[in-house]
Amino acid sequence: MSVEVTEDGTVVAAGQPVDYATAYDWAVDNPEKITSLVEDTKAFVTVIAEAETAPVEQQQSAVREAFTAARPKRPAAS
């Protein structure tokens, strides 16, 4: 699976938008998933953790910020 941040700021993985709950799950309960998606897992987890108690709107913005900070990995050439 690969992840991308679209021009409008939406984070998409496997063709589906990524919400805060999913990003949080990847950061906390599924570190193998986030490690496979980004270059800098520490940056990703830091941004997601900081948004844990934020309002919903800020949490969704944090998803984009986390993936941008963590630098999504490029899909492997086939």
Side-chain angles (χ1 to χ4, degrees), residues 20 27 41-52 54 58-59 61-70:
Y20 180 80
T41 56
K42 183 176 179 182
F44 180 87
V45 171
T46 299
V47 173
I48 293 300
E50 288 175 352
E52 186 172 9
Q58 290 177 350
Q59 287 180 338
S61 294
V63 174
R64 181 186 66 249
E65 292 169 22
F67 276 102
T68 301

Side-chain angles (χ1 to χ4, degrees), residues 6-41:
T6 65
E7 289 183 17
D8 70 355
T10 302
V11 177
V12 178
Q16 299 296 317
V18 177
D19 62 7
Y20 180 80
T22 300
Y24 184 90
D25 178 66
W26 291 346
V28 175
D29 297 325
N30 198 347
E32 302 84 19
K33 171 72 77 182
I34 200 59
T35 299
S36 73
L37 294 174
V38 299
E39 299 289 338
D40 186 348
T41 56

